[in-house]
Amino acid sequence: DDADPDTILQGFVETTSDPSFTVLGVTINTGVGTIFRDIDNSVMSSTDFFNQLAPNSLVKAKGTEVSDTVISAQEVEFELEF
């Protein structure tokens, strides 16, 4: 058994289509229970998140791995690029 069922994936967005987006070939599905955060770690609406989300945005997603190529997100956030 996996002691920590959460999967975390950070990377650059490849494609976006509300309510999901793709990072490193993995589809990140968001839903009513997903928490959306901006780069300051402040909670934002899904509408604001997807309005700002674009290819090459750096994001981190935390959730449950549904399959090798799908994560059901509990939390998604923008990350600062350096």
Side-chain angles (χ1 to χ4, degrees), residues 31 33 35-36 43 47 63 69-70 81-82:
I35 299 167
F36 299 87
V43 174
T47 301
T69 57
V70 179
E81 295 180 42
F82 292 101

Side-chain angles (χ1 to χ4, degrees), residues 15-69:
T15 60
T16 173
S17 179
D18 187 352
S20 64
F21 56 94
T22 306
V23 174
L24 300 172
V26 177
T27 300
I28 311 297
N29 289 326
T30 66
V32 291
T34 305
I35 299 167
F36 299 87
R37 296 187 184 276
D38 63 18
I39 58 171
D40 297 319
N41 211 28
S42 299
V43 174
M44 64 193 306
S45 71
S46 67
T47 301
D48 288 344
F49 183 88
F50 279 98
N51 283 343
Q52 293 179 33
L53 193 66
N56 298 317
S57 297
L58 183 59
V59 295
K60 180 165 64 176
K62 177 181 176 184
T64 305
E65 193 174 323
V66 178
S67 72
D68 288 346
T69 57

